Amino acid sequence: MVHTVHSAAIIGMEARTVRVEVAIRRGTPMIRIVGLAPGAARDCRERFRSAAAQLGLRVPGLRITVNLAPADLPKDGASFDLPVATAILAAACHVPARKARRWALVGELGLDGTVRGIRGSLAIALRCARAASLDGLIVPDANLAETRSIRDMRILGAGSLADVLAFLRDEGTLASAAASRRRHAPAGPSPDFAEIAGQRAAKRALEVAAAGGHNVLLRGAPGAGKTMLARALPTILPPLSTREAVEATVVHSVAGALRPGSGLLQARPFRAPHHSVSRIGLLGGGVPIRPGEISLAHHGILFLDELPEFRSAVLEALRQPVESGTIHITRAGRSVSFPARFVLIAAMNPCRCGRLTDPQGSCTCDPADVRRHAARLSAPLLDRIDMHVDVPSVGWSALREDRERRESPVMRERVVNARGQAHRRFGGRQRVNAVLTPDELRVHCRLDDEADAILASAASRCGFSARGCHRVLRVARSIADLEGAAVIRPDHVAEAVQYRVLDRPGASGGHLTAPGSRLTSGSGR
């Protein structure tokens, strides 16, 4: 007779239902696991034997075959330990088989019978909630908090194999996700914008970026405050909605980036990979395929400091996900998609020595060095960055000013109001940091004759691409939303044009001319 227990496997961002089938028959005593199970899944035989021995359970000295169906679905990790153990014990009459088959189980077994946390439990819970044939899902205690948001299914947490067996025998109870204490993954400290001396223009630009979810490139001398400005941006972003929190938490859960006992993410992700990051580390991939930094930044911020120091192939691979909000990865015939709807904040020095824009003229780079430094960023990549912002050096007089007043809460209120206005404009659809269709641009970014003339002149003088013009329109729409304006005025377009620093003559595509033709935040306006 075949005994069945339900479980699930993680494929990319989604969970797929898996049936754990066990048959016991006469033959050479052994446990054989089939069904495209890699090493980690096959090794559960030894973990099960040890755990069963700790509980004093007798495993039949017969031929035990375990099939993980469907057989053509790849299974990865040790999450099948608990369902395999339960199915074998059901076949050996240690637990009621009828009740066991009504529950889905996931979890890794320790040699002492403890149930350890796994990755992807939230995705598994979402998948099992759609299965009407199941009474519920049993997950490790360490994963119980992250599944608390699932209301459509009974989810229980187990600390050991003994707890699961007692529950299936109606001899004990398991902790419920609904009754568990809600714990959230802690967010790192972020500075208030008031802690940043000066930089009024850069703060204004980041407020506009937060209102519309625009990508920003901060360019300035070392020590001007570029990194601190980027790290302060989360303090003015609106809180995650429930839908966004679930989506972001699923990515972190699948990647194994959640701390044990953590619940739904409450703060927007802020990811700042080092410039030595590999292409797989940034985009995702590997074996098995895991999310990369751009997916871990979903609904949050991806900060790339020292942008020209990243490898060219890594930066160029960002062009498609920045535009589409998703990344498609194909490896060995397997194709998965990960979400990647993030705000890109990048920082760079204007030259190797960093003093190209210094008004004192202290730059030591020759024109060839400047061109080589700027050429590390391609024009197609820069074209996808909505706002190019110069961050000038700050003098001592600005540093010693009293900055006890907090700025971020006031800026955040304006950002929340602006996003609310955009939310209503699109009929409740989420269009922040999304490419607008031509029809949406015509309807929501309509310009009067004066504003149209300003954009036409700037596009002709600076050589804006079609994408560049659309980016200017989106930025102008965000500026208008910050002011509560229903229509885009000429001054909104003029400010949006100012944020295309690297599209100006002499700096097209980031290819500056000589140090004598330095661009500052006030030039060309």
Side-chain angles (χ1 to χ4, degrees):
M1 181 177 179
V2 176
H3 296 267
T4 302
V5 168
H6 295 280
S7 188
I10 297 294
I11 305 297
M13 279 289 295
E14 298 181 353
R16 301 279 294 277
T17 301
V18 173
R19 298 187 311 278
V20 180
E21 302 169 342
V22 172
I24 300 179
R25 66 181 188 276
R26 295 185 182 277
T28 304
M30 64 180 299
I31 299 177
R32 185 183 182 192
I33 299 179
V34 298
L36 207 60
R42 289 196 303 269
D43 290 345
C44 78
R45 296 172 296 192
E46 304 307 320
R47 291 189 289 269
F48 163 67
R49 290 185 186 276
S50 177
Q54 293 292 325
L55 298 178
L57 299 173
R58 179 179 174 275
V59 180
L62 301 171
R63 186 180 183 89
I64 301 174
T65 302
V66 181
N67 179 41
L68 304 180
D72 62 345
L73 182 71
K75 292 90 178 174
D76 171 63
S79 63
F80 294 101
D81 288 6
L82 184 58
V84 167
T86 303
I88 293 176
L89 294 176
C93 300
H94 286 292
V95 294
R98 179 172 297 180
K99 185 171 182 180
R101 75 168 64 101
R102 297 286 302 176
W103 286 81
L105 302 96
V106 289
E108 176 185 346
L109 280 182
L111 296 181
D112 58 352
T114 57
V115 178
R116 296 171 179 166
I118 61 168
R119 64 180 185 89
S121 64
L122 181 54
I124 291 172
L126 290 169
R127 179 71 180 96
C128 291
R130 299 195 295 268
S133 61
L134 295 176
D135 289 341
L137 170 68
I138 298 176
V139 301
D141 275 340
N143 299 115
L144 195 58
E146 71 182 82
T147 64
R148 190 178 186 272
S149 61
I150 308 300
R151 306 293 185 186
D152 302 330
M153 180 175 227
R154 188 181 179 195
I155 301 176
L156 304 177
S160 67
L161 178 60
D163 295 339
V164 175
L165 299 184
F167 170 75
L168 294 177
R169 294 170 182 160
D170 294 324
E171 298 173 357
T173 59
L174 297 176
S176 170
S180 66
R181 183 170 64 90
R182 191 173 187 178
R183 290 180 289 180
H184 308 295
S190 298
D192 190 282
F193 271 102
E195 300 175 27
I196 304 172
Q199 305 298 1
R200 301 310 307 172
K203 292 178 184 179
R204 165 66 177 177
L206 289 180
E207 184 177 350
V208 173
H214 302 292
N215 303 319
V216 182
L217 173 61
L218 301 172
R219 189 185 68 154
K226 302 185 295 296
T227 301
M228 198 170 182
L229 283 164
R231 292 192 177 276
L233 183 58
T235 63
I236 65 173
L237 292 176
L240 287 167
S241 66
T242 301
R243 180 187 60 81
E244 291 174 332
V246 169
E247 290 179 3
T249 305
V250 166
V251 177
H252 283 71
S253 179
V254 168
L258 284 181
R259 295 182 181 180
S262 296
L264 290 183
L265 296 177
Q266 293 299 292
R268 291 186 180 272
F270 184 94
R271 307 294 298 188
H274 189 260
H275 58 73
S276 61
V277 66
S278 67
R279 183 186 176 108
I280 289 178
L282 188 66
L283 302 180
V287 180
I289 301 177
R290 300 283 182 87
E293 290 291 335
I294 64 172
S295 296
L296 291 171
H298 184 53
H299 290 315
I301 297 169
L302 178 68
F303 176 47
L304 302 183
D305 203 0
E306 305 296 344
L307 187 65
E309 301 304 319
F310 285 79
R311 287 190 283 271
S312 176
V314 172
L315 291 181
E316 294 307 307
L318 278 176
R319 285 154 53 176
Q320 181 267 334
V322 163
E323 196 83 358
S324 67
T326 58
I327 176 72
H328 305 282
I329 302 173
T330 301
R331 296 286 186 275
R334 295 174 55 190
S335 180
V336 300
S337 297
F338 294 117
R341 181 68 64 191
F342 57 86
V343 174
L344 173 63
I345 305 296
M348 64 175 288
N349 298 329
C351 63
R352 293 295 296 178
C353 75
R355 295 187 290 271
L356 179 66
T357 56
D358 186 356
Q360 304 299 323
S362 57
C363 179
T364 59
C365 300
D366 60 40
D369 289 334
V370 174
R371 286 193 293 270
R372 278 194 297 269
H373 181 75
R376 296 180 68 90
L377 304 181
S378 69
L381 177 62
L382 289 174
D383 202 34
R384 287 167 168 81
I385 299 179
D386 306 40
M387 305 170 69
H388 314 149
V389 181
D390 277 329
V391 183
S393 299
V394 179
W396 171 245
S397 59
L399 289 174
R400 64 183 180 182
E401 289 180 357
D402 183 16
R403 296 187 299 277
E404 293 182 0
R405 180 176 58 84
R406 297 187 66 192
E407 291 184 39
S408 291
V410 178
M411 297 170 67
R412 185 179 191 178
E413 183 178 358
R414 291 196 294 263
V415 168
V416 170
N417 292 336
R419 288 206 177 189
Q421 184 167 326
H423 192 69
R424 291 187 295 271
R425 180 186 311 116
F426 290 105
R429 291 179 296 126
Q430 179 60 266
R431 302 297 289 159
V432 171
N433 195 24
V435 177
L436 300 183
T437 65
D439 287 341
E440 289 174 333
L441 285 169
R442 281 192 296 268
V443 173
H444 303 297
C445 299
R446 187 182 294 111
L447 304 179
D448 61 19
D449 291 342
E450 184 179 355
D452 186 84
I454 293 174
L455 180 55
S457 175
S460 175
R461 186 175 68 253
C462 301
F464 290 165
S465 66
R467 181 189 292 112
C469 291
H470 290 169
R471 300 274 176 173
V472 170
L473 284 174
R474 288 185 62 243
V475 173
R477 181 65 267 176
S478 298
I479 295 171
D481 287 341
L482 278 172
E483 296 185 4
V487 297
I488 300 176
R489 300 196 303 263
D491 56 309
H492 300 152
V493 176
E495 182 178 353
V497 168
Q498 293 178 12
Y499 294 131
R500 303 294 295 189
V501 171
L502 298 181
D503 284 337
R504 296 173 188 165
S508 179
H511 297 272
L512 303 175
T513 54
S517 60
R518 297 179 180 89
L519 293 172
T520 66
S521 58
S523 63
R525 296 188 176 182

